[in-house]
Amino acid sequence: MTKLPIKKAVDILLDLQEEGKGSTLLGIGPMSGRLLRASFELAKEKDFPLLFIASRNQVDAEELGGGYVNGWNQQTFMKAIRSTAEQVGFNGLYYVCRDHGGPWQRDKERNDHLDEETAMELGKKSYVADIEAGFDLLHIDPTKDPFEMGKVIPLETVLKRTVELIEYCEQERKKRNLPEIGYEVGTEETNGGLTSTETYESFIIELTNELERKGLPKPTFIVGQTGTLVKKTENVGTFNFSNAKDLAGVAKKYGVGLKEHNGDYIEDDVLLAHLPAHITATNVAPQYGTEETRAYLSLSKAEEKLKEEGLIKETSNIRNILLEHAIKSERWRKWMVGEQKNATVDEIFKDENLAEEILDIAGHYTFNNEEVKEGIQQLFYNLKENNIDGDRFVVDRIKRSLNTYIECYNLEGSTTRIKEMEAVKQ
């Protein structure tokens, strides 16, 4: 059976909003294999469509530097997703999406200050690997320009690059005779320029006119700034309901869904407001990595207790292993505030409170490290010897965190609602 394209699924969701049966889709950053399993299990239990959103730092072609999540490239990522769906017995809808694709989207490309031509070339290579692997949606984001850091990139530059990249991806897709894919445009970065309703609308008008002129598809999502902002392990932004509702209304006028980024660590009352604001989808990533880290730390405490009681000889030492590799990864810098982002590794090791914070923030960046993997296996073995299923505990802890969004976003039963509406439309 042919899968319902993501653009059609979003069009149906926009129609369901009118009937009071809408939902806000959840874009899940694929932080680990256990997160994939938790997602598929919950989606099977609660009947909702999955969106996996992989950044280029997380999943990319080996020739471009690969990804820090499980060392996945596009092909092995898709293989892991398909085999997890099979293991869980999931036969609902799921969509694999590129999050922040395009030039300068790998940290190294930006830090190296690559020129535009080279950066665009590498962005295109990454998209081709996405297309060949069977991704369903590509986020076209050419705004991470290292030469415009902190400035508002001219919208005409963003438009020109966006159209060029969509045109290129469509040519490559058609060349390979592959099914239609969706496109997401815009960025949550304030220097992307799409912060006011007026700018947002003029961007959509100019973009859709240009795409139409070239015979290219309309976007599925356009990213808008709703006020959310993630720093450390909290959302330090202020959700702006009226702005979000206005942006959603503008997007819907042109048949596009509003996508919110930075959806992590949001309180329930704000999550519940997403439905009346008509936000079509939200991306959440680091929160699930942090939840998984916290699960290992809880199990580590249980393991310590077992040692104290003489039930095991040696602990896995997983807490200290995670701590050391999290600090050394230096990937926590992007989440820090003020001078802390410039702290040296040595300074952090000497500051117990800051080290603890960084373990919480950046533990998930280390899950593919061999020593960490061995430590987790030893932890699970020690616990299993005492009738504790560590693996199950971690997956369930992640599911608990996911479930908050499923409840607040009215996602339960949404796959059935989408399919029923599709049948009516045919």
Side-chain angles (χ1 to χ4, degrees):
M1 193 178 75
T2 315
K3 179 161 74 172
L4 180 70
I6 191 165
K7 175 73 179 134
K8 287 197 172 67
V10 168
D11 287 346
I12 290 169
L13 274 175
L14 293 173
D15 290 340
L16 285 168
Q17 282 176 355
E18 298 302 309
E19 298 182 11
K21 295 178 184 173
S23 306
T24 298
L25 294 168
L26 179 63
I28 300 166
M31 304 316 230
S32 70
R34 288 187 177 90
L35 175 53
L36 293 187
R37 188 147 41 99
S39 305
F40 277 117
E41 284 184 12
L42 195 60
K44 184 183 178 184
E45 291 160 22
K46 302 242 168 160
D47 180 35
F48 63 89
L50 286 165
L51 269 63
F52 293 112
I53 50 145
S55 72
R56 288 190 56 206
N57 287 322
Q58 289 167 340
V59 175
D60 209 352
E62 266 107 9
E63 63 169 308
L64 300 173
Y68 71 77
V69 179
N70 273 4
W72 282 328
N73 61 31
Q74 287 90 333
Q75 296 287 347
T76 54
F77 178 47
M78 288 299 288
K79 197 176 169 187
I81 285 174
R82 288 182 184 127
S83 72
T84 308
E86 208 174 300
Q87 283 162 23
V88 169
F90 179 83
N91 56 10
L93 290 172
Y94 69 83
Y95 298 102
V96 181
C97 315
R98 166 58 71 206
D99 184 34
H100 293 292
W104 301 292
Q105 288 294 348
R106 291 186 68 91
D107 292 345
K108 188 175 186 318
E109 293 173 4
R110 202 159 56 258
N111 295 339
D112 289 350
H113 280 68
L114 295 183
D115 63 86
E116 181 177 351
E117 191 182 341
T118 307
M120 285 287 274
E121 215 43 56
L122 294 176
K124 287 174 180 176
K125 274 186 181 169
S126 180
Y127 283 134
V128 168
D130 295 343
I131 292 162
E132 289 181 339
F135 278 41
D136 300 288
L137 177 114
L138 304 178
H139 181 193
I140 308 292
D141 181 7
T143 64
K144 274 275 192 327
D145 191 324
F147 304 101
E148 300 281 358
M149 290 292 271
K151 301 177 200 166
V152 174
I153 296 171
L155 274 189
E156 55 271 23
T157 306
V158 178
L159 275 163
K160 181 181 147 297
R161 290 173 182 165
T162 299
V163 172
E164 180 186 334
L165 290 166
I166 291 177
E167 186 170 30
Y168 177 80
C169 290
E170 278 297 285
Q171 283 168 358
E172 296 300 313
R173 177 187 71 78
K174 287 174 180 170
K175 223 188 270 182
R176 291 161 177 76
N177 200 24
L178 292 167
E180 72 170 86
I181 53 179
Y183 293 96
E184 176 177 338
V185 298
T187 178
E188 80 279 13
E189 302 283 346
T190 47
N191 67 334
L194 299 181
T195 48
S196 74
T197 315
E198 296 73 24
T199 313
Y200 192 76
E201 181 156 24
S202 66
F203 179 77
I204 297 178
I205 292 168
E206 286 183 55
L207 179 65
T208 49
N209 285 348
E210 190 58 19
L211 292 173
E212 204 172 300
R213 194 178 68 75
K214 289 177 172 274
L216 297 167
K218 196 192 287 188
T220 303
F221 295 116
I222 177 161
V223 182
Q225 175 55 266
T226 64
T228 55
L229 178 65
V230 176
K231 287 293 173 189
K232 298 193 175 181
T233 55
E234 58 182 318
N235 208 304
V236 298
T238 304
F239 180 73
N240 186 328
F241 179 87
S242 60
N243 195 50
K245 197 170 191 303
D246 288 348
L247 293 176
V250 169
K252 192 170 182 172
K253 191 159 70 169
Y254 300 95
V256 183
L258 168 66
K259 175 79 103 64
E260 171 189 70
H261 286 209
N262 280 312
D264 312 68
Y265 313 112
I266 294 177
E267 295 295 327
D268 290 4
D269 60 314
V270 177
L271 292 179
L272 288 164
H274 281 55
L275 286 175
H278 287 170
I279 295 168
T280 316
T282 302
N283 284 359
V284 179
Q287 177 175 337
Y288 301 130
T290 294
E291 284 296 338
E292 186 167 343
T293 301
R294 289 173 182 173
Y296 294 128
L297 297 178
S298 295
L299 291 173
S300 172
K301 283 182 185 170
E303 185 191 35
E304 289 288 348
K305 186 67 72 186
L306 294 174
K307 187 173 182 230
E308 280 171 29
E309 300 297 335
L311 294 168
I312 57 171
K313 282 183 184 166
E314 285 302 322
T315 68
S316 61
N317 196 32
I318 189 61
R319 187 195 164 283
N320 292 330
I321 294 169
L322 278 168
L323 180 74
E324 182 185 345
H325 290 291
I327 293 169
K328 285 180 176 173
S329 77
E330 299 195 50
R331 287 187 177 272
W332 40 266
R333 294 192 188 278
K334 68 182 281 193
W335 305 110
M336 303 309 278
V337 289
E339 278 308 299
Q340 285 183 337
K341 65 164 79 86
N342 302 317
T344 67
V345 165
D346 285 343
E347 283 168 349
I348 289 158
F349 274 118
K350 287 172 191 162
D351 184 335
E352 204 176 311
N353 291 334
L354 189 53
E356 284 291 325
E357 241 185 312
I358 281 168
L359 170 58
D360 201 37
I361 294 162
H364 65 272
Y365 291 113
T366 74
F367 292 164
N368 198 44
N369 177 283
E370 283 309 316
E371 195 183 357
V372 171
K373 286 196 282 194
E374 284 167 20
I376 290 169
Q377 285 316 307
Q378 186 60 49
L379 171 72
F380 286 174
Y381 175 81
N382 287 343
L383 295 168
K384 196 175 182 183
E385 290 292 290
N386 291 276
N387 300 314
I388 298 171
D389 187 341
D391 181 62
R392 185 73 256 160
F393 176 83
V394 174
V395 171
D396 285 344
R397 172 79 182 250
I398 300 167
K399 281 170 78 172
R400 226 183 299 163
S401 185
L402 286 164
N403 195 47
T404 303
Y405 287 82
I406 306 318
E407 289 172 352
C408 293
Y409 285 177
N410 192 36
L411 275 164
E412 187 163 357
S414 55
T415 296
T416 295
R417 292 196 293 278
I418 289 167
K419 287 182 173 175
E420 284 172 353
M421 176 72 90
E422 185 201 5
V424 169
K425 282 173 171 283
Q426 281 176 346

